[in-house]
Amino acid sequence: MISLKSLAPLALAALAGLCQAQDANLARNLAATCANCHGTAGIAKGEMKTLAGRKEDELLKLLADYRSGAQPATIMHQIVKGYTEDQLKLVVKHFAALPAKP
């Protein structure tokens, strides 16, 4: 006979996996906004900055600088203000996990 106590760790593991999958989907959806300028895989063309494969802390610092006005921008200072800190962390994690080269 299987007890409920023995199923609890399995249920928690399944829930954690579901949350990670949802976070990954949310991150990908939020990052889709960036594709117009930074490429669908985070690899920009032209003068835009490539985001793929960069360190999370580096990207978060850059976004914070755009938000504060310390980093000059034409539009990023406005775009970054439309996201919460948690959303920005998801987006940054998404781009950091992508390969830097196609």
Side-chain angles (χ1 to χ4, degrees):
M1 176 180 223
I2 299 174
S3 73
L4 289 177
K5 272 189 167 180
S6 66
L7 291 177
L10 293 174
L12 287 174
L15 184 58
L18 178 62
C19 289
Q20 287 175 343
Q22 287 177 336
D23 280 354
N25 287 335
L26 177 59
R28 186 195 67 226
N29 292 343
L30 291 170
T33 305
C34 310
N36 288 332
C37 298
H38 299 282
T40 55
I43 299 172
K45 302 215 187 263
E47 294 182 23
M48 293 299 165
K49 294 179 181 181
T50 289
L51 304 177
R54 293 178 69 178
K55 295 179 181 178
E56 289 181 43
D57 57 342
E58 175 187 347
L59 290 173
L60 283 172
K61 169 80 168 92
L62 188 58
L63 292 172
D65 288 348
Y66 281 128
R67 182 175 272 173
S68 72
Q71 175 71 35
T74 55
I75 191 78
M76 275 304 300
H77 63 290
Q78 294 175 346
I79 291 173
V80 74
K81 290 178 184 176
Y83 292 90
T84 66
E85 288 300 316
D86 287 340
Q87 289 172 329
L88 290 176
K89 287 176 185 175
L90 284 173
V91 170
V92 162
K93 185 179 281 289
H94 170 78
F95 282 116
L98 294 175
K101 298 189 185 227

